[in-house]
Amino acid sequence: MNRQKRRPVIAGNWKMNLTPQDTIPYAAALTAELSDRADSEIILCVPAVDIAAAVSAFSKSCVRVGGQNLHPADSGAHTGEISGPMLAAAGCSHVIVGHSERRAMGESNELVRQKLEAALRAGLVPILCVGESLQQRENGETDSLLTEQLVSALSETGPELLRRVLVAYEPIWAIGTGRTATPEQAQQVCAMLREVLRRQFGESCADSIRILYGGSMNESNAAELLARPDIDGGLIGGASLDPGRFLRIVRAAD
Ligand code: PGA
């Protein structure tokens, strides 16, 4: 499959911002300018308490709603946690797994794998984040570290489910810093990740899995990043908080 056949994905990550009330004017502003069938898949990963309001606010649009985290178990005594089946029942289609802000709180590759499998079990599309710190990049560890993050998360997943996973390359040094990876740097790593997918899981998985870039992507740099052959979309934090800016990134992908 060539690049033309991989539909671009523009995913927002609101992180711990915006309230259920904010979803209504946000959705009105975004959907007013969007046609029903955008060329890209558009997803907003919102705080758990915003999910119901966001699902309702976007119900008549092509925008889909995702969670930002889930517990590896489907139910049980896990105070404060949210499971995959709960996210799915609330109307989510996607969930972020292994974001560096959660890895920094102690999430291991093994826990990320369990969460990814829990998401797939619940019928959700996991957005699997991988990324290196500046120190790791400077030490020349980027390729081996990302290979380990990617392969360990996907190791137990069969080929059919594997194709549903979205991978997001998010260099930690570019997240929220305003310091975007250059299109060349981002392309080089996304191509390396696709090569790892090819080696581990075969040609057709590698060709169909979409790989996003995340880290200070915005309305000014999106088009250049998205033009690269192995960058199939973006995971956008800060610039997704404003519907006008997010819309300009969607337009760049189209
Ligand atoms: P940023 O965040 O766009 O604000 O850098 C990206 C992310 O963490 O997903």
Side-chain angles (χ1 to χ4, degrees), residues 13 15 96 99-101 129 170 174-178 214-218 235-240:
N13 174 10
K15 307 192 179 183
I96 296 172
H99 192 282
S100 59
E101 287 157 12
C129 298
E170 295 211 308
I175 295 178
T177 58
S216 299
M217 188 187 267
N218 59 40
L235 180 56
I236 298 114
S240 74

Side-chain angles (χ1 to χ4, degrees), residues 219-238:
E219 62 280 24
S220 311
N221 58 32
E224 231 198 322
L225 286 157
L226 296 169
R228 302 292 154 144
D230 287 292
I231 304 177
D232 304 315
L235 180 56
I236 298 114

Side-chain angles (χ1 to χ4, degrees), residues 119-136:
L120 289 168
R121 217 166 41 239
L124 298 164
V125 174
I127 304 174
L128 168 66
C129 298
V130 298
E132 83 288 2
S133 66
L134 192 56
Q135 183 76 57
Q136 289 162 331

Side-chain angles (χ1 to χ4, degrees), residues 171-226:
I172 297 168
W173 46 271
I175 295 178
T177 58
R179 180 180 169 187
T180 324
T182 64
E184 291 71 29
Q185 284 172 322
Q187 162 59 25
Q188 186 188 34
V189 174
C190 291
M192 185 277 294
L193 293 172
R194 201 176 301 287
E195 187 49 39
V196 171
L197 291 172
R198 180 167 290 117
R199 268 203 320 270
Q200 292 284 328
F201 308 109
E203 189 80 23
S204 90
C205 269
D207 280 349
S208 51
I209 290 180
R210 286 166 297 172
I211 304 178
L212 323 183
Y213 166 78
S216 299
M217 188 187 267
N218 59 40
E219 62 280 24
S220 311
N221 58 32
E224 231 198 322
L225 286 157
L226 296 169

